[in-house]
């Protein structure tokens, strides 16, 4: 069982920045992919950014050029640097990690962007 611990959410004004972190409880395993989803009230959960073990990255169109995902594979930690935040970025952000066919989820961290 892998646990994911997230940190870095909070309240920020539009145009501001936040950095989310997500650390896996196990550092001696190989994680295929790590990334972030988000879910706003009344909306479906959507992929924000993902990073594979081959250093390939994927971003939602709505965050391209503003968000950057990075990983420290030695620590099984993934980061999401969020710049130029907009009110529509307000959501609960969930970290995930995929090991083979198993996907683990973090508890979620609230990001609120005020206008």
């Amino acid at each position: 069982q892998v646990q994911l611990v997230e940190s870095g959410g909070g309240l920020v004004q539009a145009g501001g920045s936040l950095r989310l972190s997500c650390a896996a409880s196990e550092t001696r395993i190989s994680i295929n992919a790590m990334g972030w989803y988000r879910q706003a009230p009344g909306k479906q959960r959507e992929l924000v950014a993902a990073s594979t073990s081959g250093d390939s990255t994927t971003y939602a169109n709505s965050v391209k050029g503003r968000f950057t995902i990075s990983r420290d594979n030695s620590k099984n930690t993934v980061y999401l640097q969020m710049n130029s935040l907009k009110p529509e970025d307000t959501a609960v952000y969930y970290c995930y990690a995929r090991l083979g066919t198993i996907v683990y989820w973090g508890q979620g961290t609230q990001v609120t962007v005020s206008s």
Side-chain angles (χ1 to χ4, degrees):
Q1 184 76 10
V2 176
Q3 293 183 331
L4 302 175
V5 179
E6 302 160 349
S7 60
L11 173 65
V12 65
Q13 288 188 332
S17 298
L18 284 173
R19 187 184 192 223
L20 305 182
S21 300
C22 173
S25 57
E26 296 288 338
T27 60
R28 295 176 294 176
I29 56 175
S30 179
I31 296 178
N32 302 111
M34 297 186 79
W36 299 88
Y37 276 72
R38 69 185 180 187
Q39 187 166 20
K43 294 188 177 181
Q44 290 187 330
R45 190 175 294 192
E46 63 173 354
L47 176 67
V48 176
S51 173
T52 68
S53 57
D55 292 333
S56 174
T57 57
T58 300
Y59 294 95
N61 287 334
S62 59
V63 307
K64 283 181 180 177
R66 300 187 297 121
F67 291 10
T68 303
I69 189 170
S70 59
R71 281 175 67 174
D72 183 336
N73 290 324
S74 66
K75 298 179 180 178
N76 277 341
T77 299
V78 65
Y79 307 94
L80 186 67
Q81 178 66 43
M82 305 185 294
N83 298 328
S84 302
L85 283 161
K86 304 176 181 180
E88 50 263 44
D89 294 318
T90 295
V92 177
Y93 284 69
Y94 296 92
C95 168
Y96 78 93
R98 180 172 58 82
L99 284 77
T101 59
I102 301 174
V103 179
Y104 297 92
W105 292 94
Q107 79 282 3
T109 185
Q110 177 70 46
V111 171
T112 302
V113 184
S114 63
S115 57

